[in-house]
Amino acid sequence: MKKLICALLALSLVLAMTACGGKQTAETTAPAANIEGTMEELLNKVIEQRPVEFAGGVIPIDLTDTSEEGLWAIKSYTGLDDASQLSEAAAFEPMMGSLAFSMVMARTAEGVDARTVAEAMKAGVDPRKWICVEADDVKTAGIGNVVMLIMVSTTGDMTAQSFVDAFQSVAGRTCDFVI
């Protein structure tokens, strides 16, 4: 009888250790999943999830244009002085009118830390880039290797957070960070 009890205890101990070990390995080795799709597709999905009340359009950002105009566009949209840390980017902005609204999606280059890029984007972007209007609500958020920069002039329910929430919904998971 003692041998049977000892054997059952040993078996339960082995099973418990195996179960705990398996959970720990799964949690620590799971990589941060990147979001599929182009930046243009992601912008359109976010706008479908969180519609705006103005006519807007997606603008691809040419990261290879190193002319004065090209570097100005990169700085104006992303807040970055150059595009060396990015592999792809696009913006969604109003087509006309003086509205303080800009949403940018950027995919970081391989091996580049998305949070570092997001911090540089937020620090470098000009919330007064429009004529006569200014964005008073600016956030950056990241999921995997995609960074979203959102600038809005808060009116009603149009807040930067509402677009961060839509970004999370489109991605199917919470942001790795929101700044």
Side-chain angles (χ1 to χ4, degrees), residues 50-126:
R50 173 48 179 100
V52 294
E53 295 181 9
F54 57 82
V58 174
I59 305 153
I61 302 170
D62 184 357
L63 302 177
T64 64
D65 186 353
T66 57
S67 69
E68 186 176 334
E69 186 177 312
L71 292 175
W72 174 86
I74 290 167
K75 178 70 173 177
S76 175
Y77 289 120
T78 69
L80 301 173
D81 293 322
D82 65 70
S84 63
Q85 296 181 313
L86 305 177
S87 64
E88 178 186 8
F92 181 91
E93 293 196 344
M95 294 170 107
M96 58 188 320
S98 293
L99 298 170
F101 182 93
S102 180
M103 182 169 46
V104 175
M105 291 284 186
R107 190 177 304 278
T108 59
E110 191 170 329
V112 175
D113 180 55
R115 185 181 187 97
T116 302
V117 171
E119 289 168 350
M121 288 172 75
K122 187 170 182 181
V125 75
D126 182 6

Side-chain angles (χ1 to χ4, degrees), residues 27-47:
E27 290 172 10
T28 59
T29 61
N34 291 322
I35 304 171
E36 298 297 321
T38 67
M39 298 302 94
E40 291 91 345
E41 291 168 343
L42 289 174
L43 285 167
N44 284 321
K45 288 178 181 177
V46 169
I47 292 299

Side-chain angles (χ1 to χ4, degrees), residues 120-164:
M121 288 172 75
K122 187 170 182 181
V125 75
D126 182 6
R128 294 187 56 111
K129 71 178 191 172
W130 304 276
I131 299 171
C132 301
V133 294
E134 176 179 3
D136 61 351
D137 192 4
V138 180
K139 289 188 184 292
T140 54
I143 298 176
N145 65 352
V146 176
V147 174
M148 179 182 81
L149 166 68
I150 179 71
M151 297 192 300
V152 301
S153 176
T154 52
T155 54
D157 68 340
M158 193 161 86
T159 64
Q161 187 61 51
S162 66
F163 291 92
V164 169

Side-chain angles (χ1 to χ4, degrees), residues 164-175:
V164 169
D165 294 343
F167 179 39
Q168 292 178 121
S169 180
V170 166
R173 62 177 250 205
T174 59
C175 290

